[in-house]
Amino acid sequence: IPVATAELKNKLTQQTVEHAKRQYRQDRDPRELIFAKRTIAHFAVDTDEVYLTTELAGADTTFLPFNRGNDNGRGNPVGTGGKYATSYLWEDVWERDHWLDVLKRFAHVSKSNSGASSIIFPRFHQWDAVLKTVAHARAHGAGHNYLIEHSAGSGKSNTIAWLAHRLAVLHADDQAVFDKVIIVTDRLLLDQQLGDTVFQFEHQTGLVQKTRGGSSQLAAALNSASARIIISTLQKF
């Protein structure tokens, strides 16, 4: 059963990723079963760039870049060793174990306050940042600092949520690497946004603890054996 589709283009045939986007928008019927029910992601790909959407909506279909970035800018580095610049897509992201991990631990359905649902799928920079951080923490243990930079609108909340859930259950040599994961913000609105994002991910009851009740609730969460992810504002400390 397919879970994603891809339109592959090659500049040798005078087609680029823009032709792939146009094909999805103009030539693919969003009502077809494969697009409406059976797949969760659609990739527009050429030899230089990759774009992604989780919902086909005709001419209104929105694609987001799924590129690695190139020298702190857009796109991808030039391929080396005879490889295309987009070879990371099928060699890394679509590699069997990585792809199954994306489907199990990244892709999920998000519901808004109005009840509308949408599919959340990681962009490359989110997927890459989470896996690199987790791999280093597993190898080197706790006590290290990491800086993950995001631009406005690039999915900070989801990156934090994915990373928090993975660190909360991370083990090395059958031992938990971290006792708890504490997400600290300095704004009430951001605290609520992050809390809702982290909480909606699939988790065991009691694993995620919001501390909107005050410092006493924060203290209880810190002392709780079940609460592994705690979300709090800085001022509660």
Side-chain angles (χ1 to χ4, degrees):
I1 298 176
V3 292
T5 67
E7 293 285 355
L8 308 178
K9 302 302 177 186
N10 190 327
K11 289 185 177 180
L12 295 177
T13 60
Q14 307 302 312
Q15 290 191 315
T16 70
V17 70
E18 296 303 322
H19 291 87
K21 293 181 190 178
R22 191 177 309 128
Q23 197 163 0
Y24 271 124
R25 288 172 174 144
Q26 298 180 359
D27 301 336
R28 301 292 178 252
D29 187 348
R31 297 170 297 181
E32 285 189 31
L33 190 59
I34 189 171
F35 300 120
K37 297 290 185 180
R38 291 182 175 171
T39 51
I40 63 172
H42 313 284
F43 294 87
V45 188
D46 66 14
T47 54
D48 292 327
E49 293 193 87
V50 182
Y51 283 79
L52 167 79
T53 185
T54 58
E55 181 182 8
L56 295 188
D60 295 326
T61 301
T62 300
F63 284 91
L64 295 174
F66 197 82
N67 297 314
R68 296 167 59 194
N70 185 15
D71 194 22
N72 293 319
R74 59 178 294 174
N76 292 299
V78 176
T80 59
K83 294 183 178 181
Y84 292 122
T86 52
S87 61
Y88 66 90
L89 181 63
W90 52 88
E91 291 181 349
D92 295 331
V93 181
W94 289 347
E95 187 272 333
R96 181 181 63 179
D97 291 339
H98 285 170
W99 184 242
L100 290 174
D101 184 67
V102 167
L103 298 178
K104 179 181 179 180
R105 304 180 72 175
F106 283 90
H108 69 280
V109 176
S110 173
K111 290 190 176 181
S112 66
N113 293 332
S114 64
S117 60
S118 60
I119 296 172
I120 302 298
F121 196 92
R123 293 167 65 180
F124 182 85
H125 66 275
Q126 297 172 306
W127 177 79
D128 186 54
V130 170
L131 292 193
K132 284 180 177 176
T133 307
V134 170
H136 190 278
R138 181 185 289 113
H140 300 283
H144 297 274
N145 297 323
Y146 308 94
L147 174 64
I148 301 175
E149 295 183 280
H150 278 59
S151 58
S154 60
K156 293 182 292 294
S157 295
N158 281 326
T159 300
I160 292 170
W162 282 315
L163 184 56
H165 277 277
R166 295 185 82 108
L167 295 179
V169 297
L170 181 63
H171 283 68
D173 298 326
D174 296 326
Q175 296 291 323
V177 177
F178 301 99
D179 296 312
K180 294 183 185 296
V181 175
I182 305 174
I183 302 173
V184 182
T185 71
D186 61 355
R187 285 177 291 163
L188 292 174
L189 183 60
L190 187 57
D191 177 65
Q192 179 175 348
Q193 176 187 337
L194 274 171
D196 293 344
T197 301
V198 174
F199 200 78
Q200 72 179 345
F201 281 41
E202 183 178 355
H203 59 269
Q204 298 175 350
T205 302
L207 179 73
V208 181
Q209 180 66 60
K210 305 175 186 177
T211 60
R212 295 175 189 166
S215 57
S216 60
Q217 189 179 16
L218 171 61
L222 289 170
N223 288 313
S224 170
S226 60
R228 299 301 299 275
I229 302 175
I230 299 170
I231 306 160
S232 174
T233 52
L234 181 63
Q235 52 265 37
K236 288 192 181 73
F237 286 88

